[in-house]
mmCIF file of all heavy atoms in Angstrom:
data_model
loop_
_atom_site.group_PDB
_atom_site.id
_atom_site.type_symbol
_atom_site.label_atom_id
_atom_site.label_comp_id
_atom_site.label_asym_id
_atom_site.label_seq_id
_atom_site.Cartn_x
_atom_site.Cartn_y
_atom_site.Cartn_z
ATOM 1 N N ASN A 65 6.829 -17.165 -30.875
ATOM 2 C CA ASN A 65 7.808 -16.427 -31.638
ATOM 3 C C ASN A 65 8.084 -17.098 -32.979
ATOM 4 O O ASN A 65 8.914 -16.630 -33.758
ATOM 5 C CB ASN A 65 9.132 -16.245 -30.911
ATOM 6 C CG ASN A 65 8.953 -15.240 -29.797
ATOM 7 O OD1 ASN A 65 8.173 -14.381 -29.839
ATOM 8 N ND2 ASN A 65 9.771 -15.329 -28.794
ATOM 9 N N GLY A 66 7.387 -18.213 -33.261
ATOM 10 C CA GLY A 66 7.489 -18.879 -34.523
ATOM 11 C C GLY A 66 8.665 -19.819 -34.655
ATOM 12 O O GLY A 66 8.977 -20.306 -35.680
ATOM 13 N N GLU A 67 9.373 -20.091 -33.568
ATOM 14 C CA GLU A 67 10.438 -20.927 -33.563
ATOM 15 C C GLU A 67 9.959 -22.407 -33.226
ATOM 16 O O GLU A 67 8.904 -22.582 -32.634
ATOM 17 C CB GLU A 67 11.501 -20.634 -32.397
ATOM 18 C CG GLU A 67 11.987 -19.126 -32.538
ATOM 19 C CD GLU A 67 12.692 -18.621 -31.218
ATOM 20 O OE1 GLU A 67 12.881 -19.526 -30.390
ATOM 21 O OE2 GLU A 67 13.021 -17.452 -31.154
ATOM 22 N N LYS A 68 10.740 -23.349 -33.663
ATOM 23 C CA LYS A 68 10.403 -24.686 -33.382
ATOM 24 C C LYS A 68 10.949 -25.012 -32.013
ATOM 25 O O LYS A 68 12.058 -24.659 -31.676
ATOM 26 C CB LYS A 68 10.995 -25.667 -34.398
ATOM 27 C CG LYS A 68 10.328 -25.549 -35.782
ATOM 28 C CD LYS A 68 10.813 -26.649 -36.668
ATOM 29 C CE LYS A 68 10.090 -26.589 -38.030
ATOM 30 N NZ LYS A 68 10.579 -27.601 -38.818
ATOM 31 N N GLY A 69 10.209 -25.777 -31.244
ATOM 32 C CA GLY A 69 10.592 -26.146 -29.854
ATOM 33 C C GLY A 69 11.694 -27.296 -29.994
ATOM 34 O O GLY A 69 11.951 -27.846 -31.088
ATOM 35 N N ARG A 70 12.245 -27.552 -28.873
ATOM 36 C CA ARG A 70 13.355 -28.548 -28.773
ATOM 37 C C ARG A 70 12.849 -29.955 -29.232
ATOM 38 O O ARG A 70 13.583 -30.640 -29.999
ATOM 39 C CB ARG A 70 13.802 -28.627 -27.276
ATOM 40 C CG ARG A 70 14.908 -29.572 -27.004
ATOM 41 C CD ARG A 70 15.357 -29.539 -25.558
ATOM 42 N NE ARG A 70 14.316 -29.568 -24.594
ATOM 43 C CZ ARG A 70 13.808 -30.602 -24.031
ATOM 44 N NH1 ARG A 70 14.405 -31.791 -24.295
ATOM 45 N NH2 ARG A 70 12.888 -30.559 -23.208
ATOM 46 N N ILE A 71 11.686 -30.292 -28.786
ATOM 47 C CA ILE A 71 11.159 -31.628 -29.121
ATOM 48 C C ILE A 71 10.876 -31.760 -30.594
ATOM 49 O O ILE A 71 11.172 -32.722 -31.229
ATOM 50 C CB ILE A 71 9.968 -32.006 -28.231
ATOM 51 C CG1 ILE A 71 10.360 -32.022 -26.783
ATOM 52 C CG2 ILE A 71 9.327 -33.264 -28.672
ATOM 53 C CD1 ILE A 71 9.190 -32.204 -25.794
ATOM 54 N N ARG A 72 10.226 -30.613 -31.150
ATOM 55 C CA ARG A 72 10.006 -30.644 -32.590
ATOM 56 C C ARG A 72 11.193 -30.772 -33.390
ATOM 57 O O ARG A 72 11.303 -31.431 -34.387
ATOM 58 C CB ARG A 72 9.132 -29.390 -32.909
ATOM 59 C CG ARG A 72 8.845 -29.208 -34.383
ATOM 60 C CD ARG A 72 8.110 -30.346 -35.065
ATOM 61 N NE ARG A 72 6.736 -30.441 -34.495
ATOM 62 C CZ ARG A 72 5.914 -31.363 -34.777
ATOM 63 N NH1 ARG A 72 6.250 -32.308 -35.666
ATOM 64 N NH2 ARG A 72 4.675 -31.375 -34.356
ATOM 65 N N ARG A 73 12.265 -30.012 -33.020
ATOM 66 C CA ARG A 73 13.547 -30.109 -33.776
ATOM 67 C C ARG A 73 14.126 -31.515 -33.693
ATOM 68 O O ARG A 73 14.613 -31.920 -34.751
ATOM 69 C CB ARG A 73 14.550 -29.047 -33.246
ATOM 70 C CG ARG A 73 14.173 -27.684 -33.590
ATOM 71 C CD ARG A 73 15.342 -26.717 -33.276
ATOM 72 N NE ARG A 73 15.828 -26.818 -31.866
ATOM 73 C CZ ARG A 73 15.468 -25.985 -30.880
ATOM 74 N NH1 ARG A 73 14.646 -25.010 -31.065
ATOM 75 N NH2 ARG A 73 15.926 -26.162 -29.694
ATOM 76 N N LEU A 74 14.055 -32.078 -32.576
ATOM 77 C CA LEU A 74 14.560 -33.456 -32.377
ATOM 78 C C LEU A 74 13.801 -34.423 -33.232
ATOM 79 O O LEU A 74 14.409 -35.219 -33.984
ATOM 80 C CB LEU A 74 14.452 -33.884 -30.887
ATOM 81 C CG LEU A 74 14.851 -35.320 -30.575
ATOM 82 C CD1 LEU A 74 16.362 -35.445 -30.966
ATOM 83 C CD2 LEU A 74 14.623 -35.693 -29.140
ATOM 84 N N TRP A 75 12.418 -34.357 -33.247
ATOM 85 C CA TRP A 75 11.656 -35.196 -34.083
ATOM 86 C C TRP A 75 11.843 -35.027 -35.579
ATOM 87 O O TRP A 75 11.949 -35.924 -36.349
ATOM 88 C CB TRP A 75 10.086 -34.984 -33.756
ATOM 89 C CG TRP A 75 9.257 -35.836 -34.557
ATOM 90 C CD1 TRP A 75 8.453 -35.393 -35.584
ATOM 91 C CD2 TRP A 75 9.127 -37.235 -34.513
ATOM 92 N NE1 TRP A 75 7.817 -36.490 -36.121
ATOM 93 C CE2 TRP A 75 8.186 -37.607 -35.484
ATOM 94 C CE3 TRP A 75 9.697 -38.180 -33.702
ATOM 95 C CZ2 TRP A 75 7.786 -38.914 -35.688
ATOM 96 C CZ3 TRP A 75 9.306 -39.533 -33.944
ATOM 97 C CH2 TRP A 75 8.361 -39.890 -34.926
ATOM 98 N N ASP A 76 12.014 -33.725 -35.963
ATOM 99 C CA ASP A 76 12.312 -33.412 -37.437
ATOM 100 C C ASP A 76 13.596 -34.038 -37.765
ATOM 101 O O ASP A 76 13.804 -34.487 -38.927
ATOM 102 C CB ASP A 76 12.293 -31.925 -37.667
ATOM 103 C CG ASP A 76 10.872 -31.341 -37.566
ATOM 104 O OD1 ASP A 76 9.860 -32.101 -37.663
ATOM 105 O OD2 ASP A 76 10.731 -30.176 -37.507
ATOM 106 N N SER A 77 14.685 -33.983 -36.962
ATOM 107 C CA SER A 77 15.943 -34.521 -37.350
ATOM 108 C C SER A 77 15.917 -36.063 -37.435
ATOM 109 O O SER A 77 16.508 -36.610 -38.262
ATOM 110 C CB SER A 77 17.051 -34.118 -36.303
ATOM 111 O OG SER A 77 16.804 -34.731 -35.054
#
Side-chain angles (χ1 to χ4, degrees):
N65 288 335
E67 304 167 7
K68 289 187 178 179
R70 179 177 49 94
I71 296 173
R72 175 58 69 184
R73 286 192 307 261
L74 177 64
W75 178 251
D76 288 345
S77 69

